[in-house]
Amino acid sequence: MSDPVRLTHLQRLEAESIHIMREVAAQFRNPVMLYSIGKDSAVMLHLAMKAFHPSKPPFPLLHVDTTWKFREMIAFRDARARDLGVDLLVHINEEGVAQGIGPFTHGSAVHTDVMKTQALRQALDRYGFDAAFGGARRDEEKSRAKERIFSFRSASHRWDPKNQRPELWNLYNGRIHKGESIRVFPLSNWTEQDIWQYIYLENIPVVPLYFAKPRPVVERDGTLIMVDDERMPLRPGEEPEMRWVRFRTLGCYPLTGAVESTAASLPEIIREMLLSRTSERQGRVIDHDQSASMERKKQEGYF
Amino acid sequence: MQDRFTAATQEVLAYLHEQENKDLLRFITCGSVDDGKSTLIGRLLYDSKQIFEDQLAALDKDSARWGTTGGAIDLALLTDGLQAEREQGITIDVAYRFFATDRRKFIVADTPGHEQYTRNMATGASTADLAVLLVDARKGVLTQTRRHSYIVSLLGIRHVVVAVNKMDLVGYDRSVFERIVAEYRAFADRLDIPHVTCIPLSALAGENVTTPGTAMPWWEGPALLPFLETVEVAAARTQAPLRFPVQWVNRPNQDFRGFSGTIVAGRVRPGDAVAVLPSARTSTVARIVTMDGDLEEAVAGQAVTLTLTDEIDVSRGDVIAAAGARPEVADQFAAHVVWMNDHAMMPGRGYLLQFGTHLVGGQITEIKHKVNVNTLEHTAGKRLELNEVGFCNLALDHPVPFDAYAECRETGSFILIDRVTNATLGCGTITFALRRAQNIHWQPMTVDKAARAAAKGQKPCILWFTGLSGAGKSTVANLVEKKLHAGGYHTYTLDGDNVRHGLNKDLGFTEEDRVENIRRVAETARLFVDAGLIVLVSFISPFREERRMARSLVGADEFLEVWVDAPLEVCEQRDPKGLYAKARKGTIANFTGISSPYEPPENAELVLAAGEHDPETLADQVVAALKARGIA
């Protein structure tokens, strides 16, 4: 009898995520992985490669492109899908594009609803996906902290937070009727710190925007916004200036605040995060409306 | 730049190394409403500096709006994340929170105290290593304290910390604490919880939570957090025999066939002899495949892919186990069932059961007893209501591999799923197999169904007539039988009223008795089909689930559901037995159509418009349908 082997914290999280992904592959007819290009998606994709090795993940990636993502994100996305040999679907809400919806003209709430929430629902309906992985974590936000790993959605994509299915042990009930679906969160129990540690230990590629370097930014309403392309209208007196910044989360560039930083390597990022006194979602303009805004958005079909 | 990078790298490497040596404790907080669970977690997060400045600012704002602490920071609002929870000031669902100290990482599930949300409490408890049970010092041990203790023990949590909270409101009085401890221990001694620790504290004042306080000099034990940092909970079960439930068959090409899953107990090395259950075929482990390369050994908790040396049939739901120490394989066993749905559990009703990666139909055949969570007394019962716990016998459609829950959580637990709504209805922990499953084998007969049917020159089947009382089921069935008999067919009719005079005379009209009524009739009809007969069953049989159960007993082409569809007004007007009149007066309870529902068939083979046509025409329609199927 040798000593009992104790798995580390990250090994336990990794195994749990892989177990969840395999359950989805086995229980559903037509799953998809929502790939948002950020660090959580990077970890989720890496775990999917592990879960099904030597097979490829038996589902495609789906990126809901609002057309306002950082250019470096799109380049990274395409390179990653090509390098790993996985299927990538890109969906854009063409009606929204035709109406000229954008964060500068319509504000963050309308933009997010049309180009993200509605676009996601369109894509799920078009392809008939019955399960969709998302990289959300419970430590991100209060309503996320309440969500099941297999989170049931009605045929109209709604979440009913007051009436969730009991979820016991690692037994995930994936049974649904036609039109209904399940959102699956394999990273539920990971924290931001776990994500970065895992990226470091597993050497997972991430978008360079996470690393600090001089970038053109303007300071607007207390948030540093990077001028990523010519679509950004500058207000009187605004002059882009080069500052050492990086991003803790990634999304649409007009809605994503940069943080001043000189952390240009993973160890430096991890160290900076350990010392940080603000949460990562602070840089997200869309969460600021009010505390319960995420719950409401989720009920309407947002991830 | 280079120096700074190196310094950061060194620092982070040292830090990561330290992290790797940390283990993880998953615990729940539970207890009655208002005992201060959310406040305690808020305190743990706040004092261990896990709350960021922007979250604190939002909390400040929320405290002013929703808080119950008179404008001061309300720590409970940190975990009550749903709008409805904040508005009502209660916890509805489990919230998961994460924090770490220098010694350990923690995942906390804050579970609701209200009885109606017990299922959410069980959700949190099912993945926990330890439970912190809060007791309000002013109120002592309450019903919910007992209920939660019982569920905690049922789910196999071996460590309970009784946190006697709000000590500030009783003047930090030692005798109050000791009285509660004595009362709790008297109750808990009758439960299977090996380790109970009691700690007096005040979450609001931060007394004895993260550090020993000053208000209770009489307390010589540890504060809560130091205790949680050091308590030894059982490690993963790496010394037990191998259990590997197969999740997914991994076949990238013709040359590779692996079985992906998580090792839930024991360890495995290439060359190990294994058995695949339930088929009991044996083989040898060839490789342990991962993306990081093949492993020399894998242990409980790891998710891997195994290949075997032999080309044997293995699919999802099978368990690969140590050849010398296999799980049991049975289709009947005894288990504790916690019911979590508003619709009561009825013995005899069909449910889906999910065991690990295996999904199988089954039913609860008997409630041996229910458990009164207050007194732990055993009581008799014919059904399990929401939040009730029963010790039950279960029967499955086919045998599955399993262990007792006390031996292995993952192979000893299951959930029950509704076949129609797909809702998760309850959960169970297996105690033992029922021996008869292994010892009573189906007696194979030399003369079988086909032989008996051939001797009669007919195709046996069940004609299941369902519909409201007075719809004309028996009248039509009687005419059909006359016509078949005249044609030389061997038939038998099972009529609802007639059967209740004999076989089913002990049954009443409650929902559970109706379920049993149908079960007996369906089993009798099956025997008659086996005897080669055409069986006509004429029963109201109002519930879809029971008709589905009856259908499942015979072959797909041997069951014809005939819906004798007459509108309620027509039936009530006919009222051949005067029953509707009595039901309207309230002298008959649970009367279908009046005070008990009728669930119309969704996929009946035949629907008879019984309000429009006379019985003779309807009977001809049935015979025509039998002809079309080659039966008559």
Side-chain angles (χ1 to χ4, degrees):
Chain A
M1 300 274 276
S2 53
D3 286 340
V5 180
R6 264 187 196 278
L7 300 182
T8 66
H9 178 64
L10 283 176
Q11 284 173 320
R12 279 180 71 173
L13 290 173
E14 178 190 77
E16 181 185 63
S17 301
I18 289 175
H19 176 84
I20 293 163
M21 290 182 178
R22 288 170 173 172
E23 276 306 288
V24 172
Q27 290 195 35
F28 292 87
R29 189 180 39 80
N30 189 17
V32 68
M33 177 168 280
L34 267 289
Y35 178 70
S36 67
I37 317 174
K39 63 186 190 305
D40 303 301
S41 283
V43 167
M44 187 162 63
L45 177 55
H46 183 76
L47 289 165
M49 298 304 292
K50 282 196 164 193
F52 302 101
H53 176 85
S55 297
K56 295 283 186 206
F59 41 75
L61 306 183
L62 171 66
H63 180 229
V64 175
D65 190 350
T66 61
T67 73
W68 290 88
K69 300 294 173 189
F70 291 92
R71 284 173 297 169
E72 277 181 89
M73 290 173 71
I74 302 300
F76 179 86
R77 173 194 77 188
D78 295 342
R80 204 69 194 120
R82 196 174 53 239
D83 292 349
L84 295 175
V86 292
D87 292 336
L88 170 71
L89 306 170
V90 176
H91 180 81
I92 295 173
N93 183 351
E94 296 297 347
E95 292 166 33
V97 172
Q99 291 167 31
I101 303 284
F104 293 121
T105 43
H106 294 77
S108 70
V110 170
H111 168 72
T112 303
D113 181 54
V114 174
M115 299 306 290
K116 216 166 163 179
T117 307
Q118 300 304 327
L120 173 64
R121 292 169 55 156
Q122 283 173 358
L124 296 178
D125 287 342
R126 175 197 289 182
Y127 295 101
F129 294 123
D130 50 2
F133 291 103
R137 312 186 317 266
R138 284 170 173 160
D139 79 327
E140 279 179 77
E141 201 274 332
K142 278 193 288 267
S143 63
R144 297 247 202 245
K146 293 274 170 178
E147 193 157 12
R148 299 281 187 260
I149 287 172
F150 269 41
S151 187
F152 179 83
R153 292 293 188 281
S154 69
S156 52
H157 302 287
R158 288 189 71 87
W159 179 50
D160 180 1
K162 283 195 277 183
N163 196 20
Q164 302 192 78
R165 287 180 179 174
E167 190 167 82
L168 292 122
W169 300 289
N170 58 354
L171 298 178
Y172 302 109
N173 174 3
R175 291 182 61 84
I176 49 169
H177 290 296
K178 201 167 156 46
E180 296 167 348
S181 62
I182 302 274
R183 304 272 172 99
V184 184
F185 301 102
L187 304 182
S188 285
N189 289 322
W190 295 60
T191 62
E192 184 186 12
Q193 192 177 328
D194 298 328
I195 293 287
W196 280 119
Q197 274 183 38
Y198 191 71
I199 288 171
Y200 180 71
L201 292 172
E202 295 278 311
N203 203 15
I204 302 170
V206 291
V207 185
L209 290 160
Y210 286 114
F211 301 105
K213 73 170 194 184
R215 293 187 171 93
V217 293
V218 296
E219 189 168 340
R220 185 175 285 186
D221 308 327
T223 305
L224 288 177
I225 302 292
M226 177 173 156
V227 184
D228 195 47
D229 60 34
E230 68 297 340
R231 288 179 295 175
M232 178 160 171
L234 294 175
R235 294 175 188 169
E238 275 182 351
E239 181 67 38
E241 52 175 326
M242 297 301 276
R243 287 213 221 169
W244 271 83
V245 294
R246 67 179 204 89
F247 296 87
R248 284 181 74 183
T249 60
L250 294 178
C252 298
Y253 81 81
L255 301 177
T256 307
V259 290
E260 299 225 60
S261 167
T262 54
S265 69
L266 274 173
E268 288 173 293
I269 288 177
I270 293 174
R271 191 173 64 161
E272 189 179 279
M273 188 200 51
L274 292 174
L275 300 173
S276 172
R277 298 298 305 137
T278 53
S279 74
E280 61 185 315
R281 294 200 77 84
Q282 201 212 15
R284 295 201 179 181
V285 178
I286 55 168
D287 286 356
H288 285 181
D289 324 350
Q290 50 170 296
S291 300
S293 72
M294 176 64 86
E295 179 182 348
R296 212 180 44 242
K297 283 203 293 278
K298 286 175 70 63
Q299 285 184 32
E300 285 158 10
Y302 183 81
F303 236 83
Chain B
M1 192 74 182
Q2 190 57 43
D3 287 351
R4 190 173 54 91
F5 177 82
T6 315
T9 309
Q10 294 299 333
E11 207 178 309
V12 168
L13 283 178
Y15 172 79
L16 290 178
H17 184 68
E18 185 190 302
Q19 295 297 308
E20 274 189 48
N21 294 323
K22 277 186 196 176
D23 63 356
L24 170 70
L25 182 77
R26 295 187 72 141
F27 70 95
I28 59 167
T29 54
C30 58
S32 195
V33 188
D34 295 333
D35 284 351
K37 295 180 295 297
S38 302
T39 308
L40 178 70
I41 292 190
R43 172 61 64 187
L44 286 171
L45 296 173
Y46 190 79
D47 285 3
S48 59
K49 305 201 169 35
Q50 300 287 321
I51 301 171
F52 294 113
E53 283 163 6
D54 55 312
Q55 291 172 330
L56 211 55
L59 184 63
D60 245 344
K61 224 164 54 185
D62 286 350
S63 297
R65 183 164 178 200
W66 308 114
T68 55
T69 48
I73 283 192
D74 186 349
L75 292 169
L77 293 175
L78 273 175
T79 52
D80 286 339
L82 302 177
Q83 185 99 39
E85 295 181 318
R86 300 153 85 79
E87 283 166 7
Q88 298 172 49
I90 58 166
T91 305
I92 293 174
D93 214 327
V94 206
Y96 296 88
R97 285 278 160 177
F98 306 81
F99 69 99
T101 67
D102 290 342
R103 308 177 75 150
R104 251 191 186 154
K105 293 203 169 218
F106 297 92
I107 299 180
V108 198
D110 181 25
T111 66
H114 280 89
E115 181 176 351
Q116 70 186 108
Y117 304 122
T118 299
R119 60 184 179 188
N120 296 335
M121 180 265 169
T123 290
S126 68
T127 52
D129 309 311
L130 177 147
V132 175
L133 181 68
L134 275 97
V135 176
D136 184 332
R138 295 167 305 170
K139 297 179 189 158
V141 176
L142 300 174
T143 308
Q144 264 324 72
T145 320
R146 297 192 190 95
R147 171 180 293 276
H148 284 177
S149 298
Y150 181 69
I151 291 176
V152 158
S153 75
L154 195 63
L155 293 178
I157 296 179
R158 300 170 60 78
H159 296 264
V160 168
V161 178
V162 181
V164 180
N165 189 24
K166 306 197 184 181
M167 286 299 291
D168 50 323
L169 299 181
V170 295
Y172 296 107
D173 185 341
R174 177 178 193 159
S175 64
V176 171
F177 173 70
E178 284 174 351
R179 199 165 58 236
I180 291 170
V181 170
E183 190 187 355
Y184 184 78
R185 285 196 186 274
F187 176 77
D189 280 351
R190 295 153 67 200
L191 298 173
D192 186 22
I193 304 174
H195 309 284
V196 175
T197 308
C198 303
I199 299 176
L201 53 85
S202 166
L204 198 68
E207 199 67 35
N208 239 354
V209 178
T210 47
T211 50
T214 52
M216 288 174 282
W218 49 268
W219 176 247
E220 289 171 355
L224 178 63
L225 187 59
F227 178 79
L228 295 176
E229 283 182 304
T230 51
V231 59
E232 274 301 317
V233 296
R237 302 174 50 262
T238 52
Q239 302 301 326
L242 173 70
R243 297 290 183 264
F244 181 82
V246 174
Q247 277 188 287
W248 190 73
V249 178
N250 198 333
R251 288 215 80 173
N253 54 56
Q254 292 300 309
D255 303 327
F256 186 92
R257 186 154 173 270
F259 309 104
S260 299
T262 302
I263 302 172
V264 299
R267 47 181 66 207
V268 64
R269 301 177 72 96
D272 284 357
V274 291
V276 180
L277 286 305
S279 72
R281 289 189 186 87
T282 54
S283 186
T284 305
V285 175
R287 295 171 57 198
I288 306 169
V289 179
T290 76
M291 196 169 83
D292 303 317
D294 282 12
L295 302 182
E296 276 303 301
E297 182 180 56
V299 300
Q302 284 182 284
V304 295
T305 297
L306 302 181
T307 65
L308 303 178
T309 53
D310 304 280
E311 279 279 317
I312 59 174
D313 181 30
V314 181
S315 50
R316 173 173 165 86
D318 289 349
V319 174
I320 297 178
R326 305 177 187 190
E328 298 207 47
V329 175
D331 58 3
Q332 295 188 43
F333 53 84
H336 282 97
V337 172
V338 184
W339 199 250
M340 302 176 163
N341 197 269
D342 294 330
H343 296 285
M345 188 284 288
M346 304 283 169
R349 180 159 285 180
Y351 301 108
L352 289 173
L353 287 88
Q354 190 173 338
F355 286 83
T357 58
H358 203 103
L359 193 69
V360 57
Q363 53 180 291
I364 285 154
T365 50
E366 186 187 357
I367 300 172
K368 311 278 282 182
H369 59 252
K370 298 206 284 193
V371 180
N372 178 322
V373 295
N374 253 322
T375 60
L376 301 181
E377 278 171 355
H378 295 175
T379 57
K382 282 184 149 189
R383 51 160 86 187
L384 282 185
E385 304 285 355
L386 175 67
N387 295 327
E388 286 191 329
V389 179
F391 184 57
C392 305
N393 286 349
L394 287 94
L396 306 180
D397 293 351
H398 56 83
V400 296
F402 66 89
D403 294 287
Y405 186 74
E407 297 297 316
C408 183
R409 275 192 191 192
E410 289 83 355
T411 49
S413 55
F414 59 90
I415 55 172
L416 294 125
I417 300 171
D418 191 287
R419 285 174 178 277
V420 178
T421 66
N422 295 325
T424 302
L425 302 170
C427 71
T429 57
I430 298 175
T431 310
F432 50 79
L434 295 174
R435 291 294 136 195
R436 63 175 179 267
Q438 279 144 326
N439 296 335
I440 301 184
H441 292 283
W442 186 254
Q443 188 61 47
M445 303 287 180
T446 319
V447 180
D448 62 5
K449 176 159 72 178
R452 296 185 201 100
K456 297 183 179 64
Q458 64 184 37
K459 278 172 73 175
C461 70
I462 298 175
L463 278 168
W464 191 281
F465 292 84
T466 172
L468 295 170
S469 175
K473 296 181 297 298
S474 297
T475 313
V476 177
N478 186 38
L479 286 170
V480 172
E481 188 173 22
K482 255 171 69 183
K483 289 173 196 283
L484 291 174
H485 186 74
Y489 294 98
H490 299 260
T491 59
Y492 193 84
T493 297
L494 289 162
D495 179 81
D497 287 344
N498 296 350
V499 172
R500 277 187 179 274
H501 283 106
L503 179 63
N504 291 354
K505 71 177 170 193
D506 57 325
L507 299 177
F509 288 89
T510 60
E511 196 174 348
E512 53 268 44
D513 278 1
R514 292 186 145 191
V515 172
E516 175 60 15
N517 185 35
I518 299 299
R519 189 192 69 80
R520 290 186 197 172
V521 170
E523 288 286 359
T524 308
R526 165 161 75 166
L527 290 174
F528 284 0
V529 165
D530 203 52
L533 300 181
I534 296 172
V535 192
L536 297 91
V537 179
S538 168
F539 270 69
I540 297 173
S541 48
F543 304 119
R544 256 177 229 135
E545 191 40 53
E546 278 65 64
R547 297 193 299 264
R548 190 207 57 76
M549 183 271 296
R551 184 187 286 272
S552 71
L553 293 178
V554 292
D557 54 348
E558 292 177 335
F559 191 91
L560 280 82
E561 191 170 349
V562 182
W563 180 16
V564 185
D565 180 18
L568 180 62
E569 311 80 70
V570 175
C571 298
E572 193 166 357
Q573 202 188 347
R574 290 179 188 160
D575 204 7
K577 300 168 195 162
L579 298 175
Y580 283 94
K582 285 188 194 167
R584 286 288 181 202
K585 268 190 272 172
T587 50
I588 307 180
N590 296 323
F591 192 77
T592 301
I594 307 293
S595 47
S596 180
Y598 179 80
E599 300 172 0
E602 285 173 336
N603 297 303
E605 275 75 7
L606 205 56
V607 180
L608 303 178
E612 297 165 26
H613 303 293
D614 62 73
E616 194 70 38
T617 314
L618 300 174
D620 285 339
Q621 287 177 12
V622 176
V623 174
L626 292 175
K627 281 207 168 73
R629 285 173 168 74
I631 292 169

